[in-house]
Amino acid sequence: MPSFSFIHAADLHLGSPFQGLALKDAAVAAVFVEASRKAFSTLVGLAIEKRVDFFVIAGDVYDGDWKDNKIGLFFNREMARLERAGIPVYLLRGNHDAASVITKTITLPLNVHEFPTGKPGSVRLEALKVALHGQGFAERSANDNLAITYPAPVSGWFNIGILHTSLTGREPHAPYAPCSVDDLRSRGYDYWALGHVHDYEVVAQDPLVIFPGNLQGRNIRERGAKGAVLVTVEDGRIEHERIIVDEARFAQVDIVVGPEDDQAAILRHVEQAVQPLADEMDGRMTALRVRLSGVTPLHGPIAANRQQWRDEVEAACHRVHEDIWLEKLELRLEPPSEKAADADGALDLRQLLAEHAGDADISAEASRLINEIAVRLPGGLGATETPLDDNIDTLIEEARQLLLARGQGAG
Ligand SMILES: [Mn+2]
């Protein structure tokens, strides 16, 4: 069997809105806005440099329908770079760029092969003895098990299955094209190039089943290094290696504040917690969420002076590295318990709030209100799956903190 190598990427989400809303600095925000495209250009450059034999994209090239042709023009330009380098591209549509979702088109170069959406299709690369099998999404939701309808392997060849799927479920990703690893195994292929899940994961070894994750984190839920996978096959032996291409990064540190910590001590904790990030960011701009938890008498003053504390925490980050920017200061602090403070029968706000923590009705009502507000926000934010950069529990917790701080102030 001939030796060859290929890139396995997925979930480019070109055109995705940037969700680091708390990043106030326009120059910093601009880096993140451009990051998804830069990351893809970097990957294309590496594919050319490493002279890979072909390039696979397992769905969600686009985040959704294009506002205009800008995104299509960008993708065409990158595909044309690969064409001039003699590298064919095999891709399919995922839930975000399903055939029914994307209404605009730009003619792509002839090196780009798209798998059909109605049924699985196969491509044979005679010279390499490689067969690729794939089926794209016709609609945004694909509820059928697509994998089990994939064709039998080409005997004696290296067979690659390409599929956009959540497998048996990968929270918080929507359950599309559900299937088990055994379903994949039943096809008798050598490699499964999956897409949809945004975290890198080697799901199985025999055969290799891999989610490369997305190329670039787009919000605080997509933290850490991002990239694609370089697969090399030599004498029938498969090696795989992560290729990190993200341009900017999201990260989070959790800091537990002690009751005796004053402001200077808390900021020192921040600097200590941030140092390891600075050591591994490797020139990338980092948007950092700092979460403060623990019991402190400063609970009230911090919540009441949130902006000042936010800026002090960002200043502490900059003392460690000039390119670490605060995405958000998340407060989960608790005041020290006040014994018998409410013995006179006054409303115990804290206890009342604690009783309703995690209440499903409150979550549902909050979700409804947020969605109502989100669709009125400018910039098309309401069109995305998650209008705010936080989950409901975090938002409710913040509301609770604010209420408690005000309650303290009034008392
Ligand atoms: Mn997807």
Side-chain angles (χ1 to χ4, degrees), residues 11 13 59-60 94-96 137 164 173 176 195-198:
D11 299 279
H13 285 269
D60 287 358
N95 55 307
H96 276 267
F137 284 23
H164 200 76
H173 299 280
Y176 293 134
H196 186 51
V197 169
H198 289 188

Side-chain angles (χ1 to χ4, degrees), residues 312-324:
E312 282 288 8
V313 169
E314 185 163 80
C317 292
H318 286 165
R319 287 196 288 277
V320 178
H321 196 293
E322 66 272 23
D323 279 332
I324 300 178

Side-chain angles (χ1 to χ4, degrees), residues 152-173:
V154 178
S155 173
W157 286 31
F158 190 90
N159 287 264
I160 300 172
I162 307 170
L163 181 63
H164 200 76
T165 179
S166 53
L167 292 178
T168 49
R170 287 287 187 289
E171 291 285 334
H173 299 280

Side-chain angles (χ1 to χ4, degrees), residues 4-338:
F4 59 90
S5 67
F6 66 96
I7 294 278
H8 166 201
D11 299 279
L12 279 44
H13 285 269
L14 298 174
S16 173
F18 170 62
Q19 292 184 317
L21 295 175
L23 277 176
K24 305 274 190 305
D25 191 299
V28 178
V31 170
F32 279 85
V33 169
E34 287 297 314
S36 288
R37 279 195 269 178
K38 278 245 177 80
F40 186 56
S41 291
T42 300
L43 182 63
V44 166
L46 285 170
I48 294 167
E49 189 186 307
K50 290 176 185 294
R51 299 167 171 271
V52 299
D53 293 278
F54 55 97
F55 199 115
V56 170
I57 309 176
D60 287 358
V61 167
Y62 307 113
D63 190 58
D65 201 10
W66 316 342
K67 279 204 302 283
D68 51 41
N69 284 339
K70 206 169 129 195
I71 283 299
L73 284 168
F74 167 77
F75 188 64
N76 173 70
R77 202 165 146 252
E78 297 300 328
M79 292 299 98
R81 286 174 71 199
L82 290 172
E83 186 187 42
R84 286 190 295 273
I87 300 172
V89 180
Y90 303 95
L91 57 80
L92 49 71
R93 291 165 183 271
N95 55 307
H96 276 267
D97 56 359
S100 69
V101 170
I102 307 293
T103 59
K104 299 184 176 65
T105 57
I106 284 287
T107 304
L108 294 171
L110 291 171
N111 64 325
V112 180
H113 174 94
E114 184 188 321
F115 288 96
T117 55
K119 57 180 189 339
S122 298
V123 178
R124 291 173 178 228
L125 311 181
E126 291 286 346
L128 300 177
K129 297 272 182 280
V130 168
L132 301 110
H133 314 279
Q135 178 177 349
F137 284 23
E139 304 286 336
R140 199 171 225 289
S141 62
N143 302 316
D144 297 335
N145 183 330
L146 299 181
I148 52 172
T149 69
Y150 273 38
V154 178
S155 173
W157 286 31
F158 190 90
N159 287 264
I160 300 172
I162 307 170
L163 181 63
H164 200 76
T165 179
S166 53
L167 292 178
T168 49
R170 287 287 187 289
E171 291 285 334
H173 299 280
Y176 293 134
C179 61
S180 66
V181 170
D182 280 339
D183 291 336
L184 301 181
R185 201 167 276 142
S186 76
R187 305 326 300 146
Y189 298 169
D190 302 283
Y191 184 92
W192 277 93
L194 304 187
H196 186 51
V197 169
H198 289 188
D199 292 318
Y200 170 72
E201 184 184 350
V202 179
V203 180
Q205 291 287 347
D206 187 23
L208 264 178
V209 179
I210 296 182
F211 283 113
N214 52 351
L215 296 184
Q216 171 61 51
R218 299 168 304 149
N219 55 56
I220 193 63
R221 290 183 305 278
E222 299 180 345
R223 296 191 289 271
K226 297 285 176 184
V229 176
L230 172 67
V231 182
T232 308
V233 180
E234 257 179 47
D235 306 323
R237 259 203 347 271
I238 314 173
E239 307 271 351
H240 61 95
E241 170 194 344
R242 259 193 112 185
I243 306 274
I244 302 303
V245 295
D246 58 347
E247 185 72 14
R249 206 164 275 178
F250 285 89
Q252 176 170 321
V253 293
D254 294 287
I255 292 156
V256 181
V257 172
E260 66 294 332
D261 288 335
D262 60 7
Q263 173 170 335
I266 293 172
L267 294 175
R268 267 200 311 281
H269 293 327
V270 171
E271 290 182 36
Q272 281 159 6
V274 167
Q275 188 60 56
L277 285 175
D279 297 339
E280 67 193 33
M281 57 198 268
D282 204 12
R284 289 175 185 85
M285 197 169 270
T286 297
L288 179 69
R289 177 168 295 196
V290 174
R291 179 187 282 177
L292 296 183
S293 62
V295 174
T296 170
L298 292 175
H299 163 269
I302 293 175
N305 297 296
R306 203 189 176 92
Q307 182 63 43
Q308 179 63 26
W309 270 85
R310 187 218 167 274
D311 292 346
E312 282 288 8
V313 169
E314 185 163 80
C317 292
H318 286 165
R319 287 196 288 277
V320 178
H321 196 293
E322 66 272 23
D323 279 332
I324 300 178
W325 296 83
L326 194 66
E327 182 264 349
K328 183 170 195 169
L329 176 63
E330 188 179 319
L331 299 178
R332 299 226 167 164
L333 299 168
E334 300 288 338
S337 64
E338 298 155 58

